[in-house]
Amino acid sequence: MNRLRGFIGSYHPIVLTLILGTVMARAASSMSLPFLAIYLSRHTSMSAVMIGVVIGMGALAGTVGGFVGGTLSDRFGRRSIMLIALFGWAFVFTGFALVTLPVWFMLLNMMNGLCRSFYEPVSQALMADLTEPAKRLKVFSMRYMAINVGVAVGPLLGAFFATLNGSLPFLLTGVIYFVYAVALYILLITFGIKKIEGEKKSPVTFGSAIKVIRSDMTFRFYIFGGIIGAIGYSQVMVTLSQYLEHSFTDGVKMFAILMSVNAIVVIAFQIPFTRIAEKYTPFMAIAFGNLMFALGDIGFAFSHSLVWLILSMAIFTLGEILNYPAANMLIDKLAPEHMRGTYFGAQTLTNAGHFMGPWIGGFLLASYGGNTLYLCMALLTMGGTLFYWNGTKRLFRMKKTLNDRNM
């Protein structure tokens, strides 16, 4: 009990609220979004192509929305942007349950992508604002574990509620986001976020933000590394199901098992691996994480049984545990204090990899088969490490030059 009390006391109450809220929010969205394609095919007259367009537009809107939301949060404060996103989400999911026209589904899913791209980077920036630098990797890791806890629970609840009524998961998701938004608003006021925001706000404009991002070569190296990582990661989250379906008798069932393995490994190993990663630089964590990604891809290429696929997924997931929190730490170390929201927001440009990845993977799978696809992804992922290495080396030289000038 004393250890728990000490753990809670070592972090700002808003940080703990955001982590708990992340579990709720991801469980809610995972209760409905994975079933959106099925819901649209059963309850609308949309073709498979149109459904794909509707779902893809959310990712496309989110790719550019993060930069907008992050910049606005630096200028006007984190609180307003996060609350707009959460109340917007409540509207979106309630709308999914009520509308019938394809154009409304498309607009709502674009709004969903924007809400996610506003909320995610801004909440990360606020966590960094309220946490001392030495504890930020642990906070980002806890947030990532919270995401996976929510994702592990949500689909099971969604499948249950969908048996009662097809639109019920969407309505419940809307209600959960509304309750979370109200609770967060009350807590932000209670713990004096206005004062904190007053100290953190800066007169950054879109023009100055774009200028800084364009001139920051280190940041561009990190973004390219992130895009490559996202292309590789999407092959496991999207293309793997197609590969298993065509290559194994019970491919769909095997894919469901592997997704459960992914969530279980994250939940089980996130904390111990974070403790290990804290002893090394973020780049070392990313480099080792990319190696785990590559080994997992090689495993997928040559596995001929469920046991080997499970082992490959476990290795791949260890890379995920190391990679994503460390990538957030790199951005945190790079971002100027007054532009933290802008940098975290611009980090969503790596979502371009999630947008391109399924196309690239689908082409390689159809043209050359799964072995070639995953061997190519292993090489590509290792190549992405070079971008992080160049960015880190450049940042080190830049800081050394600044220190030399100040001496």
Side-chain angles (χ1 to χ4, degrees):
M1 184 61 71
N2 288 334
R3 286 184 65 183
L4 178 62
R5 194 177 293 114
F7 170 80
I8 293 173
S10 61
Y11 297 98
H12 195 284
I14 293 298
V15 172
L16 297 174
T17 300
L18 290 172
I19 291 171
L20 179 61
T22 296
V23 176
M24 291 174 53
R26 280 307 177 96
S29 62
S30 298
M31 190 168 65
S32 51
L33 279 180
F35 305 99
L36 181 58
I38 297 172
Y39 179 79
L40 293 177
S41 67
R42 290 181 178 176
H43 294 84
T44 72
S45 58
M46 278 189 268
S47 66
V49 173
M50 189 63 191
I51 290 173
V53 170
V54 167
I55 293 173
M57 290 303 290
L60 192 61
T63 300
V64 297
F67 175 74
V68 176
T71 304
L72 289 174
S73 78
D74 283 331
R75 187 172 180 84
F76 299 108
R78 318 285 190 222
R79 179 176 61 99
S80 299
I81 305 304
M82 284 197 304
L83 291 174
I84 287 170
L86 288 173
F87 282 115
W89 256 329
F91 173 80
V92 163
F93 284 100
T94 304
F96 278 144
L98 300 177
V99 302
T100 55
L101 294 176
V103 65
W104 283 114
F105 280 110
M106 182 180 293
L107 291 173
L108 285 170
N109 203 38
M110 289 177 68
M111 188 173 173
N112 169 51
L114 286 174
C115 288
R116 183 175 297 283
S117 66
F118 275 34
Y119 177 80
E120 299 280 351
V122 173
S123 63
Q124 290 178 71
L126 181 57
M127 286 178 177
D129 289 344
L130 300 175
T131 306
E132 58 188 86
K135 293 181 179 178
R136 285 176 189 169
L137 178 60
K138 195 168 287 184
V139 164
F140 290 139
S141 296
M142 288 191 295
R143 175 185 171 274
Y144 193 69
M145 185 172 70
I147 288 172
N148 282 276
V149 170
V151 170
V153 172
L156 298 175
L157 294 173
F160 169 73
F161 289 123
T163 60
L164 303 177
N165 186 294
S167 61
L168 185 58
F170 296 96
L171 284 172
L172 288 174
T173 300
V175 170
I176 290 170
Y177 272 116
F178 181 80
V179 171
Y180 177 36
V182 172
L184 186 61
Y185 172 77
I186 294 170
L187 288 167
L188 289 172
I189 297 300
T190 302
F191 290 106
I193 195 66
K194 283 188 174 182
K195 181 181 178 182
I196 296 168
E197 283 187 332
E199 297 167 355
K200 298 288 182 181
K201 285 181 186 178
S202 66
V204 62
T205 64
F206 284 114
S208 63
I210 291 171
K211 186 176 180 182
V212 169
I213 296 298
R214 284 180 62 186
S215 63
D216 194 332
M217 182 64 76
T218 302
F219 182 76
R220 293 213 296 274
F221 276 127
Y222 291 164
I223 291 298
F224 283 127
I227 289 173
I228 289 174
I231 291 172
Y233 187 78
S234 68
Q235 307 315 314
V236 173
M237 296 299 111
V238 180
T239 320
L240 183 61
S241 61
Q242 302 170 54
Y243 170 55
L244 295 178
E245 185 179 13
H246 290 101
S247 303
F248 296 88
T249 304
D250 295 320
V252 175
K253 188 185 295 184
M254 292 168 78
F255 180 71
I257 292 171
L258 293 180
M259 290 298 98
S260 298
V261 169
N262 177 263
I264 291 167
V265 171
V266 169
I267 294 167
F269 289 95
Q270 184 76 66
I271 292 175
F273 265 60
T274 299
R275 287 174 181 163
I276 295 170
E278 285 177 326
K279 299 175 183 177
Y280 301 94
T281 63
F283 168 72
M284 290 299 295
I286 288 174
F288 195 73
N290 281 351
L291 177 61
M292 294 293 100
F293 277 149
L295 291 175
D297 283 331
I298 293 170
F300 292 133
F302 293 109
S303 292
H304 297 290
S305 69
L306 180 58
V307 172
W308 284 105
L309 285 168
I310 289 173
L311 181 60
S312 300
M313 176 58 84
I315 293 171
F316 185 92
T317 306
L318 294 179
E320 185 181 336
I321 290 170
L322 290 169
N323 194 297
Y324 287 104
N328 289 335
M329 278 300 298
L330 284 181
I331 299 299
D332 180 71
K333 288 177 177 293
L334 177 64
E337 186 75 17
H338 67 290
M339 293 185 70
R340 184 176 285 131
T342 300
Y343 271 72
F344 273 111
Q347 190 186 18
T348 60
L349 292 171
T350 59
N351 285 337
H354 291 291
F355 186 68
M356 296 185 293
W359 291 0
I360 296 170
F363 170 75
L364 289 173
L365 182 63
S367 302
Y368 304 103
N371 291 38
T372 301
L373 163 63
Y374 285 103
L375 287 176
C376 287
M377 287 303 129
L379 290 172
L380 183 68
T381 300
M382 292 305 296
T385 305
L386 295 175
F387 285 99
Y388 285 111
W389 180 73
N390 276 303
T392 303
K393 186 173 68 171
R394 185 181 179 86
L395 181 62
F396 176 78
R397 285 202 307 262
M398 189 170 62
K399 287 186 174 180
K400 188 175 183 299
T401 302
L402 277 172
N403 289 335
D404 290 344
R405 286 177 183 173
N406 294 331
M407 287 179 66

